[in-house]
């Protein structure tokens, strides 16, 4: 099973941002997306995760295989760490949250309400959620925001373990994670003006 | 699905969850009506079914704002949209938990408030039956309105405007069944029509809600 993106064009708010994007992620490998702010990394990841339709092109191997982590962690302030994680595990049909708690050293915090966690701790909980989904493709949008150096190392080892188990990862980031992965710069794929036609919602209506 | 229902109910009952908001509003409206209308018990018992139904409807509307907005703000909706659970099912569960935390308490509180409004003794059964059959439709239609306006900041006004016309048939048949019952007439016909509306909306609305939610999430 491979995640394959072919000649993909994506739009944000009806304006095309990227066009002609093609890449492949094979089992056991990760791909790091790079590009300046506003280049369209988030839009590309949201499209691959199936949250918005592509303008053009195909995405293969993304059906029911993707665990997406965006800027927001989807945590409920009034639920404890363990309750938040258990909820997501159950939604994805799993029940064991212990490995995820251990990987991000959340065990001492398990009964704390998520609302009382620091930003970095919340982020760790949001990333731990990926491990309980059991999905092979991790699509991560700036996963290291507000993480300290130790937490980044935890994240890197979690991704490495996931890849070793045959998983895949697609990560948009600005920092060096120390992963042995290919880099894909989206800057040359900026959309051209002539792609503007068909970019409106008309096709959808 | 059960996990989502369990989480939503748990959130509703914890501090700041908003459980009781609709109920308190319902209570205030119906308690204040006798003060504003005056102490004519005959007039009160005439308008009681209508006031109770209107109060229940507005109480439902009041809590719709929170139905999806909180999940949208913290990113849960994005994650749910990529989860194996179909959005249609997720929204049905959301509507169900809204009904359990808002509609059902209203149904249970209505007879007590009916007492305050001097509702005719014959009317209680009809009132409970019509509210019990009608409030699920309010939650399901409300989930549609919430899905339509979820991306909009302060979308409450727009949502009320969109949802209120859709509430009208439920209100007409629900209040009519309760009114006929209170007058000692047979309210079966409006009650059956009300049940039809509710079953129809439960069957069809989740698909419409999921379709508009997919659009608003883009």
């Amino acid at each position: 099973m491979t995640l394959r993106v072919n000649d993909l064009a994506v739009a944000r708010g009806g304006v095309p941002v990227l066009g002609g994007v093609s890449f492949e992620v094979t089992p056991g490998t990760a791909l790091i997306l790079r590009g300046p702010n506003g280049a369209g990394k988030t839009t590309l990841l949201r499209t691959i995760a199936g949250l918005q339709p592509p303008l053009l092109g195909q995405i293969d191997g993304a059906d029911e295989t993707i665990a997406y982590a965006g800027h927001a962690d989807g945590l409920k302030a009034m639920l404890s760490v363990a309750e938040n994680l258990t909820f997501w595990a159950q939604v994805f049909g799993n029940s064991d949250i212990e490995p995820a708690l251990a990987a991000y050293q959340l065990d001492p915090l398990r009964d704390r309400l998520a609302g009382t966690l620091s930003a970095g701790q919340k982020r760790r909980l949001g990333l731990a959620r990926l491990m309980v989904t059991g999905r092979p493709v991790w699509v991560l949008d700036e996963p290291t925001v507000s993480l300290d150096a130790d937490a980044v190392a935890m994240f890197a080892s979690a991704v490495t373990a996931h890849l070793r188990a045959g998983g895949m990862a697609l990560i948009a980031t600005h920092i060096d994670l120390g992963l042995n992965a290919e880099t894909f710069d989206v800057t040359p794929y900026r959309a051209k003006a002539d792609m503007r036609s068909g970019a409106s919602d008309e096709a959808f209506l | 699905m059960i996990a989502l229902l369990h989480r939503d109910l748990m959130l509703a009952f914890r501090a700041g969850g908003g459980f009781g908001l609709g109920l308190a509003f319902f209570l205030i409206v119906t308690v204040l009506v006798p003060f504003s209308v005056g102490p004519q018990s005959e007039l009160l018992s005439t308008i009681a079914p209508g006031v109770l139904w209107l109060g229940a409807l507005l109480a439902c509307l009041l809590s719709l704002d929170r139905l999806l907005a909180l999940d949208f703000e913290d990113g849960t909706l994005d994650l749910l949209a990529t989860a194996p659970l179909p959005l249609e099912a997720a929204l049905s569960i959301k509507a169900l938990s809204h009904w359990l935390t808002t509609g059902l308490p209203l149904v249970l509180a209505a007879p007590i408030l009916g007492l305050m409004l001097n509702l005719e003794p014959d009317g209680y059964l009809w009132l409970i039956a019509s509210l019990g059959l009608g409030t699920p439709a309010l939650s399901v239609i409300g989930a549609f309105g919430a899905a339509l306006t979820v991306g909009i900041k302060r979308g409450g006004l727009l949502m009320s405007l969109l949802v209120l016309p859709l509430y009208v048939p439920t209100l007409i048949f629900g209040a009519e069944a309760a009114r006929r019952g209170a007058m000692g007439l047979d309210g079966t016909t409006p009650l059956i029509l009300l049940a039809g509306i509710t079953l129809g909306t439960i069957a069809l609305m989740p698909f419409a809600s999921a379709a508009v939610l997919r659009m608003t999430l883009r």
Side-chain angles (χ1 to χ4, degrees):
Chain A
M1 211 222 66
T2 307
L3 177 69
R4 199 173 283 119
V5 169
N6 193 13
D7 198 23
L8 189 71
V10 298
R12 185 182 172 97
V15 180
V17 287
L18 291 173
V21 179
S22 302
F23 58 76
E24 235 180 60
V25 188
T26 50
T29 63
L31 187 66
I32 310 284
L33 289 182
R34 287 199 193 276
N37 290 147
K41 300 186 293 298
T42 297
T43 312
L44 180 61
L45 292 182
R46 285 180 68 85
T47 308
I48 291 169
L51 287 167
Q52 61 178 73
L55 272 185
L56 293 166
Q58 296 98 38
I59 304 163
D60 294 320
D63 284 335
E64 300 280 302
T65 57
I66 285 183
Y68 172 74
H71 296 286
D73 291 316
L75 303 175
K76 288 293 170 193
M78 291 311 293
L79 295 183
S80 73
V81 168
E83 283 168 343
N84 267 303
L85 214 49
T86 307
F87 164 68
W88 285 113
Q90 284 171 343
V91 165
F92 285 87
N94 300 315
S95 57
D96 192 14
I97 61 165
E98 297 308 324
L101 284 176
Y104 288 96
Q105 295 175 14
L106 290 165
D107 225 20
L109 304 168
R110 62 185 300 148
D111 293 323
R112 283 262 295 275
L113 291 183
T116 64
L117 298 180
S118 78
Q121 288 168 332
K122 278 184 192 158
R123 191 76 234 195
R124 266 152 65 193
L125 179 53
L127 293 172
R129 185 186 59 83
L130 293 166
M131 296 182 68
V132 303
T133 60
R135 291 259 173 111
V137 187
W138 288 2
V139 173
L140 312 176
D141 193 1
E142 311 217 7
T144 53
V145 171
S146 68
L147 290 185
D148 60 15
D150 287 348
V152 170
M154 283 178 217
F155 168 67
S157 63
V159 172
T160 310
H162 176 65
L163 297 180
R164 206 174 297 133
M168 291 164 251
L170 186 58
I171 306 170
T173 183
H174 295 293
I175 69 159
D176 186 18
L177 294 169
L179 289 174
N180 182 20
E182 274 183 65
T183 305
F184 183 88
D185 194 337
V186 299
T187 321
Y189 298 93
R190 286 271 175 100
K192 296 163 199 76
D194 63 335
M195 292 178 62
R196 221 158 264 264
S197 60
S200 74
D201 283 348
E202 279 167 37
F204 197 85
L205 294 172
Chain B
M1 282 173 87
I2 292 162
L4 183 60
L5 181 65
H6 181 234
R7 186 198 69 143
D8 274 4
L9 293 180
M10 201 148 68
L11 283 171
F13 286 109
R14 290 214 175 153
F19 173 76
L21 175 73
L23 194 61
F25 178 80
F26 188 44
L27 201 78
I28 291 166
V29 167
T30 41
V31 166
L32 288 182
V33 163
F35 290 119
S36 62
V37 172
Q40 302 117 300
S41 54
E42 215 160 279
L43 178 62
L44 275 178
S45 66
T46 316
I47 61 168
V51 167
L52 287 169
W53 250 96
L54 190 61
L57 187 143
L58 292 176
C60 249
L61 194 64
L62 190 66
S63 50
L64 286 181
D65 235 358
R66 307 172 59 94
L67 188 62
L68 293 174
L70 297 179
D71 277 346
F72 178 73
E73 279 161 22
D74 64 20
T76 307
L77 278 185
D78 278 351
L79 303 179
L80 270 182
T82 56
L85 190 67
L87 264 187
E88 287 83 357
L91 283 164
S92 303
I93 291 294
K94 288 240 151 235
L96 175 64
S97 73
H98 178 259
W99 182 73
L100 286 175
T101 53
T102 310
L104 190 61
L106 295 182
V107 177
L108 298 177
I112 302 157
L113 296 169
L115 210 61
M116 274 191 234
L117 292 174
N118 199 25
L119 187 69
E120 297 289 341
D122 291 343
Y124 285 95
L125 207 58
W126 290 102
L127 178 73
I128 297 171
S130 66
L131 279 175
L133 278 174
T135 43
L138 301 183
S139 291
V140 179
I141 296 170
F144 170 71
L148 208 53
T149 55
V150 74
I152 305 167
K153 297 263 181 241
R154 307 273 177 277
L157 172 68
L158 186 60
M159 185 177 64
S160 312
L161 288 174
L162 288 167
V163 162
L164 272 179
L166 300 174
Y167 274 1
V168 168
T170 313
L171 177 67
I172 290 175
F173 291 115
E176 178 68 7
R179 189 186 64 85
R180 285 199 188 185
M183 287 170 68
L185 300 169
D186 182 19
T188 317
T189 311
L191 208 58
I192 287 172
L193 283 165
L194 182 66
I197 291 171
T198 302
L199 293 175
T201 50
I202 289 174
L204 297 175
M205 270 300 183
F207 294 98
S209 313
V212 294
L213 188 59
R214 281 195 192 98
M215 273 206 265
T216 43
L217 281 183
R218 282 200 279 161

